[in-house]
Amino acid sequence: RRWAELVPESSWSPAVGASKMKVKMLSRNPDNYVRETKLDLQRVPRNYDPTLHPFEVPREYVRALNATKLERVFAKPFLASLDGHRDGVNCLAKHPKNLATILSGACDGEVRIWNLTQRNCIRTIQAHEGFVRGICTRFCGTSFFTVGDDKTVKQWKMDGPGYGEEEEPLHTILGKTVYTGIDHHWKEAVFATCGQQVDIWDEQRTNPICSMTWGFDSISSVKFNPVETFLLGSCASDRNIVLYDMRQATPLKKVILDMRTNTICWNPMEAFIFTAANEDYNLYTFDMRALDTPVMVHMDHVSAVLDVDYSPTGKEFVSASFDKSIRIFPVDKSRSREVYHTKRMQHVICVKWTSDSKYIMCGSDEMNIRLWKANASEKLGVLTSREKAAKDYNQKLKEKFQHYPHIKRIARHRHLPKSIYSQIQEQRIMKEARRRKEVNRIKHSKPGSVPIVSEKKKHIVAVVK
Amino acid sequence: MTANRLAESLLALSQQEELVDLPKDYLLSGSEDEGDNDGEREHQKLLEAISSLDGKNRRKLAERSEASLKVSEFNVSSEGSGEKLVLADLLEPVKTSSSLATVKKQLNRVKSKKTVELPLNKEEIERIHREVAFNKTAKVLSKWDPVVLKNRQAEQLVFPLEKEEPAIAPIEHVLSGWKARTPLEQEIFNLLHKNKQPVADPLLTPVEKASLQAMSLEEAKMRRAELQRARALQSYYEAKARREKKIKSKKYHKVVKKGKAKKALKEFEQLRKVNPAAALEELEKIEKARMMERMSLKHQNSGKWAKSKAIMAKYDLEARQAMQEQLAKNKELTQKLQVASESEEEEGGTEEKVEELLVPDVVNEVQMNADGPNPWMLRSCTSDTKEAATQEDPEQLPEPEAHEVSESEGEDRPVAEEEILLREFEERRSLRKRSELSQDAEPAGSQETKDSSSQEVLSELRVLSQKLKENDQSRKQKASSEGTIPQVQREEPATEEEEPLLLQRPERVQTLEELEELGKEECFQNKELSRPVLEGQQSERTPNNRPDAPKKKKKEQMIDLQNLLTTQSPSVKSLAVPTIEELEDEEERNQRQMIKEAFAGDDVIRDFLKEKREAVEASKPKDVDLTLPGWGEWGGVGLKPSAKKRRRFLIKAPEGPPRKDKNLPNVIINEKRNIHTAAHQVRVLPYPFTHHWQFERTIQTPIGSTWNTQRAFQKLTTPKVVTKPGHIINPIKAEDVGYRSSSRSDLSVIQRNPKRITTRHKKQLKKSSVD
C-alpha cells in the first residue's frame, strides 16, 4: 500500500494500465546518499517517526537484559599475580608519578619494586630485620620510606644503585620504639610515623619535630589527609580512631568503636570523609566533623577487614579482609558491588587502588600480589568511538532496568567460595537472632525503657573531646 | 563541677599510671613481692597484739600517726581540726610587740588582696586546646561542603580534575626568541619591516603613534563637540524640510514657491547691479531652464491634474485660478525671452490678467460642448492669441472677481499677501496643534476649521454629483443617438447582474473558512449543472435565498463526512484513479475468491466469537453449589436433589467488575495476571521514585539511538564518571575548585608554632613545675 502511495500519479500511464502490467519503481537521486568527497560523513537517512519504531520499552528491555548477561559473561577481573616474595606481603605503596610501578614490603623485611606492565620484579631490597611494617613514597616519586620491626625508619632512592654500588638507604633513623606505620605528607618534606605515639618528622632531621599522644596504646596506622594536608588520622589498638592537626600540634578528637580499627583511608575528593576498616567485619565511613554517627556502615565481609583504599575518583573504595576476599563498595552504599576472590588467595593484608582508577592490587598472606580490574567486565585497551558509545548505552540501559527482577537477579549474581558463603549464612542467622532478641526485649519491657539504637550508632562507644 | 571533673581526671590518670606501671612490676618479680607483703602484715599484727596489752601506749601511737588531716602546698591548715587557718590567728601574738609594726602592715596589705584561683589541671588544659583546635579545623573543612555537594550531584565528573590548559604565549614573546630562517619567513619579515609593521611589544604602527602624539585630548574634545553641533543642526534642518514637505496644502506650497521665485529674482536683480557677468551667466541658466521647460511641455494642460482642474474649473474658483496660473506659467516659459527688460513683469501681469479672463470660458465651453475629456489639447493646436480673442466671455467674469477681489487686487502687492498667507498657515497649524493637545480648550477655532473643511468637502461632493448626473445624461443621450431600446433593456439586467456580484463578494469572503465555503459552493454549482438551469440559478442568486443555501450545504457535508467514515475507502479512491482501480478491483475480487476457496472450512470470525464467549464465561465468578444429594431425601442413580433444596444451598457469586472488553466486539482482553510476564515486571516501587508514574515515565522514554537523534542519544548516555586511561588522578586541590590554597606550608607553621609540645618541652615543663 505504502509503495503505491509513494509512486507519483504521473507514472501511472494509461498505456501501462492497458497492457495489465504494473511497474512500481522508486526513483532515487544519488545526491541524497552519495558523498561528495571521501572525507565526508556517510549520511544515514533516518526517520524517527515513533510509529515506525514501535515497542521501544520491550526492545530496550531485551537490550538491557542482553547487556547484563554479557557483562556477567565478560566479568573476568583477575589480571595477574606477581610472585617473588618469600613471606606474606605486609604493605603496598603506589608510585605517585608512575602508574606502572608499585612497591611492596613483606613480613621477612624484604621490599620489592614491581613493574606492572611487564609484571615482574625490577628491584629487591632487604630493608629490615623482621617485618616491613609500613612503606610510603615521597610525593615527588624520587624516594620512598620504610619502617620495620627493627625500630628504624629508612629512606631509599627509587632508582636502583649503579653498577658496583651497594644497596644502601639514603638515611636511617634509629628510634626507641617499634614503628608500626608510616605515611608521607602530600606536598612537603614531612612524614609521620606511628607506634607509641604519632611523630611528625622533617626529612632533614633525626628527631621528630612534633609528637602527639593521647592515651598510651600502640597506634597501628597513620594517614595524612590528601586534601587538607595538615590533617592526620590514626587508629590505635584500644579501639579508637584519633584525628590530629599537624599545624596546631594537637590531637583533635577521638572516637571509640566497638572493636579495633585496623586502618583508615581518607577520601581524596572529599576532605572531611574517611573510612575505617574495623575488626568487627564492617567498614565505617565518617564525616570527621561529626564522629558520633558514621555516615555509612559498610557490611559484607565475614571476617576482620584489614585494609581499605579509596578509588582516586572518591566514589568507591576497596577493602581487603581476613576472609580471603576483597570487596568494592560504593561510598554511599552499605553493601558491596563486587567481591573478588581466588582459590589460592589467602588472608588479604593490604590493598591499593591504582591512581588511574582502573586497577586494584592486593597483597596477601601467601606471598603474592594480585592485580585486578576495578570494573570486572571492562574491556582493556583503546576503545573505538562506536565501542565507547555501545558501552555507554549498555551501561545506561543496565541502570535504567536495574530494578527489573530478571535483570537484577543476573546482575547481582556472584560466585563465592563455600567458606565465605556458609559464613554469610551463619552470620545472617546470628544477626537475625540478635535482632529478634532485641525486638522481644523492647516488646516485653516498659515502653521507652529500652532505647532503639540505629545500626549506625550501635557501633560507636564514645566520642572523646 | 570542676572539682568533680578534676577528681575524675585524676582517677583516670592514676588508672593509666597503674596500667603503665603494672607490667614493670610484673616484670621485676611478682611472686617475691607478694611474699614480702605477707610477712610485713604478719609482723604488724604481732606488734599490734603486743601494744594492745598496754592501753596508754596504744593511745600515744594513735596520736602520733597524723599531723593534720590535710596537707596541701597551697593551704596552711590549723592543727588537728579541719578548720582553715585564719590570718588573724597568726597576728594575735604580734599585737603585743611594737617592734613588729612593719610586719603588721605588710600582713594587713596581704589581707586586703584576694587569693589567686587554682590553675587548671593539665588534662583540662589539653582538652580545651583540643576543642579549640577541632573547631578551627572543622571551620576550615566546611569550606569544602559546596564542592563536595556539587561533585556528588554532578551529572558527569571528568577525571583528572585539573585541566591541562594549552599555553598561549603572546606573539611578541614568541617572536623575541625566534629568528626568520627560511626564505619565506625572511620575505615576510622584510615586508613587515618595509611597512613599518610593529613586531615588538607595543603593537602600534608609526602612523598610529604619530596620530596619538599629534592631537591633545582637549583639542580632540573640542573638535568632537563641533562635529556634534554640526550634525545636530543638519538633523534639525532635515527635520524641518521633511515637515514642510509633508504639508499637504497646495496653497502653501504655491506661496512658498512663489516666494522663492521672487527671492531668486530679487537676487538676480541685485547681482545684475553688482556683477553683470555673473548675472549674465545666471540669465543663461534661466534661459536654459525655460528651454527645458518648453521642450518638456510640462505646463501644457495635458497632465492628469490639469485635466481634473479643467473639469472643476467651472464650479470651483480655486481650480479656475490654478488653471490660470498654470497657463500663465506656460506662456511665460514658452515665450522666447528677447531681452531681460523691466517691463517683463508688467507684461506678465497683464497676460495673467488676460488669462484670468480667458480660462473660465474655455472651461465653460468644454462643459457645454461635452466633447472629449481634454479640451485643452484641442485648444493647444490653435494659437493662444486667437483663442484669447475669439473665446472671450465677459459674462463669466464678475463672479470670480466678486469673490476674490482682494486676490485680484493683491497682484499689486504680492509680497505682503504672501506674508499674510504664510501667517495664516502658521496660525492654522498652531491651532491644530492646540486642538490636538486640548480639544475642549478652543472649540470655536476648531469648529471654524472644521466648518471650512466640511464646506470644502461639500463643494467637492456637489461637483461630483453633478458630474455623475451629467455623465448619465450624456450616456442617455448617446444611447438615444444609437436609438435601440431593446438593447438598453437587455443591457440593464446585465449590469444589474454584474453589480451585486461585485459588491457582495467582499462582504462574504472574509475568512479562510468562507473562502473554502466559496470553493465548495462552486463545486456544488458545477455538480448541479444537470439540474434545470433557470430554477437553480434564480433561486440562488436572489439575495433572500442566499443565506439559506450555505446552511443546507453544510448539513449535507456533515452527513457526507459521516458517510465517508462509515463507508469503505475504496469507493473514494475510485474517483481519483478510475481506470486502474477497476483493474485492481477485479484482481482483488479474484484474490478474495481464491482465499475463500482455500479456506472454505474456516470461519475465523465465528471461532473468535466463540473463543470470546468462552473467555467471558471462564472469567465469571462461579456459583457454589453446596447441595448434598440424598441428604434429607432419597438418593441414588437418576435422582436429582429437589429444586428447592438446590436453591437453598446455592451460594451465588457476587457480580464481578465489568469486563474491559465489554464494548469492544473484536477484542479479547485477558484480565488474569500472567505469571510469565510477572517475572519481567517490577513489583515494588524502587527507592528514588516517589510515585509509580515517575518510574513508568522513566522507563517509557527510550534512550537508544533508534528513537533519538545522535545528539540526544549522546546526551542521554553520558557516563557519570569519565576517566582517561593512563592518566594519574590526583586528589582534589583547592586550586582546582577555585579556592585559594594556603600559602604557608604546613611545615613552616609547625616550626613557628609556639604552642607545640614535644617530649623535651614536656620534660622541661615538669622540671619547672617541680622547682
Side-chain angles (χ1 to χ4, degrees):
Chain A
R1 275 266 157 248
R2 201 172 293 139
W3 273 53
E5 280 163 20
L6 280 174
V7 176
E9 262 181 55
S10 58
S11 70
W12 297 93
S13 70
V16 171
S19 65
K20 287 199 173 187
M21 212 176 83
K22 271 193 283 183
V23 179
K24 293 182 175 179
M25 66 189 259
L26 289 172
S27 70
R28 283 197 173 157
N29 187 0
D31 290 347
N32 293 333
Y33 55 89
V34 174
R35 292 183 291 178
E36 277 180 10
T37 69
K38 203 170 69 178
L39 299 172
D40 286 353
L41 288 174
Q42 283 281 15
R43 186 183 291 166
V44 185
R46 289 293 328 273
N47 191 347
Y48 291 106
D49 183 3
T51 53
L52 299 180
H53 307 287
F55 302 120
E56 56 262 25
V57 178
R59 282 164 81 185
E60 287 215 316
Y61 173 74
V62 171
R63 283 179 196 180
L65 192 62
N66 289 340
T68 318
K69 283 176 183 169
L70 285 179
E71 186 210 314
R72 287 334 301 160
V73 168
F74 289 122
K76 306 242 180 284
F78 182 63
L79 287 176
S81 168
L82 309 173
D83 55 340
H85 274 299
R86 276 164 287 180
D87 209 334
V89 181
N90 199 37
C91 47
L92 277 174
K94 298 180 272 190
H95 192 286
K97 301 285 175 192
N98 190 351
L99 281 173
T101 308
I102 60 158
L103 305 95
S104 64
C107 295
D108 58 352
E110 192 182 54
V111 169
R112 276 176 185 258
I113 302 177
W114 306 85
N115 189 330
L116 286 180
T117 46
Q118 289 161 7
R119 293 170 189 181
N120 60 1
C121 176
I122 52 176
R123 196 170 154 211
T124 312
I125 309 161
Q126 187 58 44
H128 295 278
E129 289 166 25
F131 280 41
V132 180
R133 286 290 173 187
I135 187 167
C136 70
T137 49
R138 201 166 184 276
F139 57 92
C140 60
T142 53
S143 61
F144 64 92
F145 296 83
T146 55
V147 290
D149 271 353
D150 53 0
K151 301 182 185 176
T152 52
V153 181
K154 286 179 180 175
Q155 185 182 8
W156 306 82
K157 265 171 80 175
M158 193 63 85
D159 306 322
Y163 180 73
E165 286 177 45
E166 269 198 37
E167 188 82 78
E168 272 188 341
L170 286 173
H171 301 288
T172 308
I173 299 164
L174 203 64
K176 282 169 199 149
T177 54
V178 175
Y179 299 108
T180 51
I182 186 167
D183 195 23
H184 200 281
H185 193 278
W186 287 81
K187 284 172 188 163
E188 281 151 35
V190 175
F191 64 91
T193 58
C194 60
Q196 293 283 315
Q197 73 260 351
V198 172
D199 292 324
I200 312 276
W201 304 74
D202 189 341
E203 279 177 11
Q204 306 303 323
R205 298 189 192 179
T206 50
N207 283 324
I209 50 172
C210 166
S211 32
M212 298 175 282
T213 51
W214 192 352
F216 299 92
D217 224 313
S218 67
I219 295 160
S220 59
S221 131
V222 65
K223 289 279 164 69
F224 270 105
N225 188 326
V227 187
E228 291 295 348
T229 47
F230 59 89
L231 277 175
L232 294 115
S234 76
C235 39
S237 53
D238 60 349
R239 307 176 299 164
N240 59 26
I241 301 167
V242 187
L243 302 171
Y244 304 91
D245 188 333
M246 190 180 96
R247 285 185 189 173
Q248 299 174 59
T250 74
L252 297 173
K253 227 170 203 184
K254 179 157 82 173
V255 58
I256 302 169
L257 297 170
D258 259 349
M259 287 178 92
R260 193 169 80 107
T261 302
N262 284 315
T263 185
I264 67 161
C265 185
W266 293 92
N267 190 327
M269 290 294 149
E270 298 172 3
F272 41 79
I273 300 285
F274 68 89
T275 299
N278 205 281
E279 286 275 316
D280 64 356
Y281 316 164
N282 292 339
L283 292 118
Y284 301 96
T285 298
F286 284 98
D287 182 337
M288 73 150 279
R289 295 166 299 174
L291 290 171
D292 51 344
T293 8
V295 177
M296 192 59 75
V297 180
H298 310 272
M299 37 196 171
D300 254 351
H301 280 297
V302 286
S303 192
V305 189
L306 298 182
D307 199 7
V308 60
D309 192 35
Y310 262 93
S311 150
T313 60
K315 297 276 174 200
E316 289 173 328
F317 60 81
V318 61
S319 63
S321 169
F322 198 74
D323 63 8
K324 306 175 188 174
S325 70
I326 58 176
R327 281 178 188 270
I328 301 171
F329 292 86
V331 174
D332 52 350
K333 296 275 186 322
S334 71
R335 295 290 173 169
S336 62
R337 74 157 172 85
E338 198 71 75
V339 55
Y340 293 161
H341 57 86
T342 58
K343 232 176 203 174
R344 294 182 181 188
M345 189 161 76
Q346 294 304 310
H347 313 305
V348 193
I349 296 167
C350 48
V351 71
K352 279 274 179 284
W353 203 310
T354 56
S355 322
D356 60 348
S357 86
K358 296 272 185 210
Y359 306 100
I360 287 164
M361 298 163 306
C362 67
S364 46
D365 248 1
E366 85 314 324
M367 307 178 265
N368 277 322
I369 298 165
R370 288 192 169 76
L371 187 67
W372 309 83
K373 285 193 272 186
N375 280 316
S377 58
E378 194 180 37
K379 192 191 170 193
L380 294 179
V382 181
L383 294 180
T384 64
S385 58
R386 288 181 63 191
E387 276 178 315
K388 214 179 275 174
K391 190 191 84 183
D392 292 345
Y393 180 43
N394 283 341
Q395 188 57 41
K396 269 280 137 74
L397 280 181
K398 276 183 260 171
E399 265 170 44
K400 185 180 167 186
F401 290 98
Q402 64 185 334
H403 306 292
Y404 282 70
H406 227 73
I407 289 172
K408 200 178 187 178
R409 206 191 67 74
I410 295 166
R412 283 176 62 206
H413 178 80
R414 294 287 181 283
H415 168 70
L416 276 180
K418 201 178 175 187
S419 60
I420 297 179
Y421 181 77
S422 57
Q423 265 178 303
I424 287 174
Q425 299 305 322
E426 196 182 309
Q427 277 170 22
R428 189 179 294 155
I429 291 163
M430 285 160 69
K431 203 176 171 189
E432 176 55 27
R434 250 179 264 138
R435 192 195 64 81
R436 201 169 53 237
K437 183 165 187 180
E438 204 175 299
V439 168
N440 284 341
R441 191 173 283 153
I442 291 165
K443 213 194 314 183
H444 295 296
S445 52
K446 193 178 150 196
S449 62
V450 179
I452 301 164
V453 186
S454 68
E455 181 64 33
K456 280 179 184 173
K457 288 213 172 179
K458 211 178 270 177
H459 307 282
I460 308 296
V461 174
V463 178
V464 186
K465 282 181 184 170
Chain B
M1 277 300 287
T2 49
N4 259 346
R5 262 192 226 165
L6 215 138
E8 275 174 23
S9 60
L10 268 173
L11 205 76
L13 195 76
S14 64
Q15 275 174 354
Q16 280 173 345
E17 274 169 0
E18 270 176 20
L19 280 170
V20 175
D21 289 344
L22 209 112
K24 281 180 189 166
D25 291 352
Y26 197 72
L27 274 176
L28 284 170
S29 53
S31 58
E32 277 179 35
D33 239 28
E34 269 182 32
D36 274 8
N37 281 342
D38 281 2
E40 268 182 18
R41 214 175 292 152
E42 273 172 71
H43 182 70
Q44 196 84 31
K45 270 186 185 173
L46 188 69
L47 282 176
E48 276 176 25
I50 293 162
S51 63
S52 67
L53 295 174
D54 194 337
K56 281 176 186 178
N57 274 346
R58 200 186 62 193
R59 264 193 96 200
K60 253 186 187 175
L61 269 172
E63 253 175 40
R64 213 169 55 182
S65 64
E66 282 285 342
S68 69
L69 284 176
K70 281 180 186 172
V71 181
S72 169
E73 54 179 305
F74 305 112
N75 282 353
V76 184
S77 59
S78 58
E79 210 175 315
S81 63
E83 295 166 2
K84 225 178 177 183
L85 192 70
V86 189
L87 199 61
D89 297 342
L90 290 174
L91 286 176
E92 246 171 53
V94 180
K95 274 179 186 172
T96 49
S97 61
S98 57
S99 61
L100 293 170
T102 49
V103 178
K104 230 168 133 184
K105 264 184 194 170
Q106 277 175 354
L107 278 171
N108 273 330
R109 212 179 296 150
V110 167
K111 202 178 172 186
S112 66
K113 276 184 185 170
K114 272 192 175 178
T115 52
V116 181
E117 268 195 45
L118 274 175
L120 274 176
N121 193 350
K122 201 183 99 193
E123 299 291 315
E124 198 79 359
I125 290 168
E126 274 184 5
R127 186 190 174 143
I128 288 163
H129 274 310
R130 280 198 301 261
E131 271 201 64
V132 170
F134 178 80
N135 289 338
K136 221 189 234 177
T137 321
K139 208 185 236 176
V140 170
L141 285 173
S142 61
K143 81 170 180 192
W144 287 99
D145 273 332
V147 178
V148 167
L149 199 71
K150 202 187 108 198
N151 282 351
R152 279 182 189 167
Q153 291 169 344
E155 290 284 301
Q156 187 178 38
L157 280 176
V158 181
F159 293 103
L161 285 176
E162 61 263 32
K163 281 157 194 94
E164 295 153 13
E165 282 177 20
I168 302 167
I171 202 154
E172 49 271 13
H173 289 296
V174 176
L175 282 172
S176 63
W178 184 73
K179 265 190 173 181
R181 276 173 204 146
T182 62
L184 179 67
E185 285 167 359
Q186 278 167 353
E187 211 172 300
I188 288 166
F189 264 77
N190 279 341
L191 262 175
L192 283 175
H193 284 301
K194 238 181 233 173
N195 294 330
K196 291 177 180 175
Q197 283 295 322
V199 190
D201 193 11
L203 280 165
L204 289 171
T205 57
V207 181
E208 284 169 333
K209 267 182 206 167
S211 70
L212 269 180
Q213 285 167 357
M215 203 186 290
S216 71
L217 187 67
E218 282 171 26
E219 251 181 282
K221 269 184 181 171
M222 271 169 65
R223 190 175 285 186
R224 198 162 135 256
E226 260 173 47
L227 273 173
Q228 270 180 341
R229 204 179 305 132
R231 227 173 285 139
L233 281 173
Q234 198 186 341
S235 73
Y236 295 154
Y237 183 77
E238 275 172 6
K240 195 186 169 193
R242 224 173 286 135
R243 209 169 52 237
E244 280 177 353
K245 205 179 160 191
K246 257 189 189 170
I247 294 171
K248 278 182 181 165
S249 164
K250 282 179 182 148
K251 207 172 181 183
Y252 168 80
H253 281 292
K254 213 190 293 166
V255 168
V256 167
K257 222 182 270 174
K258 231 182 209 173
K260 263 184 196 167
K262 281 265 158 66
K263 208 179 171 187
L265 210 67
K266 235 181 204 173
E267 273 172 15
F268 176 70
E269 288 290 313
Q270 271 183 354
L271 202 69
R272 204 173 61 169
K273 276 169 194 167
V274 178
N275 192 359
L280 242 148
E281 269 179 28
E282 196 80 347
L283 198 70
E284 255 172 43
K285 262 186 205 168
I286 290 167
E287 177 69 359
K288 208 171 186 180
R290 193 195 58 79
M291 277 156 74
M292 293 291 281
E293 187 70 36
R294 199 175 155 163
M295 274 159 70
S296 68
L297 303 177
K298 204 178 172 187
H299 289 86
Q300 303 286 353
N301 286 317
S302 55
K304 220 177 189 178
W305 175 83
K307 280 172 199 171
S308 69
K309 285 284 169 200
I311 293 162
M312 297 225 289
K314 191 180 173 185
Y315 309 99
D316 194 10
L317 204 70
E318 280 177 38
R320 211 177 298 160
Q321 222 160 17
M323 299 262 347
Q324 279 170 5
E325 259 166 58
Q326 207 205 3
L327 275 175
K329 188 103 190 181
N330 182 27
K331 213 168 260 180
E332 192 188 324
L333 287 169
T334 45
Q335 240 175 16
K336 204 177 178 200
L337 210 66
Q338 302 293 344
V339 195
S341 64
E342 282 147 311
S343 63
E344 205 186 36
E345 273 183 65
E346 286 172 24
E347 275 179 14
T350 50
E351 269 173 4
E352 271 178 48
K353 269 185 187 171
V354 171
E355 282 301 315
E356 249 182 75
L357 298 176
L358 243 168
V359 174
D361 291 288
V362 179
V363 170
N364 284 346
E365 187 189 43
V366 170
Q367 298 306 330
M368 289 299 283
N369 288 348
D371 268 344
N374 196 357
W376 306 102
M377 287 297 282
L378 293 170
R379 196 177 53 93
S380 65
C381 297
T382 59
S383 68
D384 292 342
T385 47
K386 270 184 185 175
E387 271 187 317
T390 51
Q391 293 176 344
E392 224 173 326
D393 205 345
E395 287 176 15
Q396 298 286 329
L397 272 171
E399 270 189 14
E401 277 196 356
H403 275 284
E404 294 191 3
V405 180
S406 62
E407 233 177 86
S408 57
E409 281 172 357
E411 293 276 297
D412 298 344
R413 33 179 182 145
V415 182
E417 187 198 283
E418 278 161 20
E419 277 176 3
I420 291 161
L421 270 172
L422 276 172
R423 225 175 292 145
E424 266 186 344
F425 279 123
E426 287 295 312
E427 277 172 22
R428 233 181 253 178
R429 208 180 300 150
S430 62
L431 266 173
R432 210 179 301 147
K433 268 182 193 170
R434 250 177 277 160
S435 66
E436 276 172 11
L437 282 170
S438 56
Q439 286 186 341
D440 296 22
E442 289 191 348
S446 63
Q447 273 222 320
E448 273 178 10
T449 49
K450 270 183 191 172
D451 282 356
S452 61
S453 61
S454 64
Q455 275 174 1
E456 280 172 13
V457 170
L458 272 173
S459 63
E460 275 178 12
L461 275 174
R462 232 179 288 141
V463 170
L464 271 172
S465 61
Q466 278 184 352
K467 185 187 152 191
L468 276 171
K469 272 180 193 170
E470 280 169 6
N471 267 342
D472 279 7
Q473 280 176 356
S474 64
R475 260 189 206 161
K476 274 176 189 173
Q477 280 171 2
K478 273 183 188 172
S480 64
S481 64
E482 279 175 60
T484 46
I485 298 166
Q487 269 186 351
V488 174
Q489 278 176 342
R490 228 185 295 151
E491 271 182 358
E492 275 190 9
T495 51
E496 271 176 29
E497 261 190 341
E498 274 176 19
E499 275 174 3
L501 269 173
L502 284 166
L503 286 171
Q504 283 176 2
R505 273 233 167 113
E507 286 175 6
R508 234 185 295 149
V509 187
Q510 280 175 342
T511 61
L512 268 175
E513 290 160 15
E514 281 168 332
L515 262 172
E516 279 170 28
E517 199 68 41
L518 205 78
K520 277 169 197 168
E521 268 177 37
E522 280 173 7
C523 291
F524 199 68
Q525 281 174 8
N526 287 337
K527 274 183 189 173
E528 283 181 343
L529 275 176
S530 58
R531 275 194 201 174
V533 181
L534 266 174
E535 190 192 308
Q537 279 182 344
Q538 282 198 355
S539 66
E540 274 181 22
R541 282 173 195 181
T542 46
N544 292 345
N545 287 356
R546 285 241 147 188
D548 295 347
K551 273 185 190 173
K552 262 189 191 173
K553 271 170 237 155
K554 265 187 188 170
K555 270 182 187 174
E556 278 173 347
Q557 277 165 359
M558 288 286 281
I559 291 156
D560 273 352
L561 263 173
Q562 279 177 342
N563 284 337
L564 272 174
L565 278 173
T566 47
T567 52
Q568 283 161 356
S569 52
S571 62
V572 180
K573 250 193 166 178
S574 65
L575 281 170
V577 206
T579 50
I580 292 139
E581 201 49 48
E582 277 171 23
L583 283 172
E584 272 199 341
D585 274 2
E586 264 178 42
E587 267 187 20
E588 267 180 35
R589 226 172 289 147
N590 285 340
Q591 234 175 356
R592 240 177 253 165
Q593 200 65 34
M594 288 262 285
I595 288 166
K596 256 188 190 172
E597 279 168 20
F599 299 95
D602 299 0
D603 192 349
V604 186
I605 294 167
R606 206 180 55 202
D607 285 354
F608 177 81
L609 285 176
K610 198 181 158 194
E611 203 178 317
K612 179 161 188 184
R613 217 175 301 133
E614 277 167 7
V616 170
E617 283 300 315
S619 71
K620 261 186 190 166
K622 303 278 181 301
D623 296 347
V624 184
D625 193 0
L626 294 174
T627 46
L628 289 171
W631 190 261
E633 58 189 9
W634 288 108
V637 182
L639 283 175
K640 276 184 183 174
S642 67
K644 186 187 161 195
K645 197 180 174 187
R646 248 186 292 154
R647 220 181 301 131
R648 201 186 150 192
F649 286 104
L650 187 79
I651 298 168
K652 282 207 169 173
E655 194 74 15
R659 280 181 68 87
K660 280 177 186 170
D661 55 6
K662 205 173 81 178
N663 296 326
L664 304 168
N666 299 336
V667 180
I668 301 173
I669 296 175
N670 191 353
E671 288 177 48
K672 268 187 196 165
R673 185 160 181 266
N674 192 345
I675 309 158
H676 302 292
T677 58
H680 300 281
Q681 284 170 340
V682 181
R683 239 167 279 164
V684 189
L685 190 68
Y687 158 60
F689 302 101
T690 52
H691 210 268
H692 69 87
W693 51 260
Q694 288 175 342
F695 180 62
E696 276 164 17
R697 200 170 290 169
T698 54
I699 292 298
Q700 269 160 11
T701 46
I703 52 173
S705 57
T706 321
W707 299 275
N708 295 298
T709 57
Q710 191 59 27
R711 187 65 59 79
F713 171 67
Q714 277 170 0
K715 210 175 255 180
L716 283 169
T717 58
T718 45
K720 273 211 151 176
V721 176
V722 177
T723 55
K724 281 184 193 166
H727 282 248
I728 290 173
I729 302 166
N730 286 320
I732 198 166
K733 270 181 249 155
E735 301 96 82
D736 291 343
V737 290
Y739 288 133
R740 199 170 52 81
S741 61
S742 59
S743 54
R744 286 191 300 176
S745 70
D746 298 338
L747 187 63
S748 65
V749 172
I750 306 177
Q751 281 163 355
R752 241 177 269 158
N753 205 336
K755 270 196 293 177
R756 72 197 173 119
I757 307 157
T758 60
T759 44
R760 272 173 294 155
H761 277 244
K762 271 183 195 167
K763 273 174 194 168
Q764 282 174 0
L765 274 172
K766 268 184 188 174
K767 268 183 194 171
S768 62
S769 66
V770 167
D771 292 341

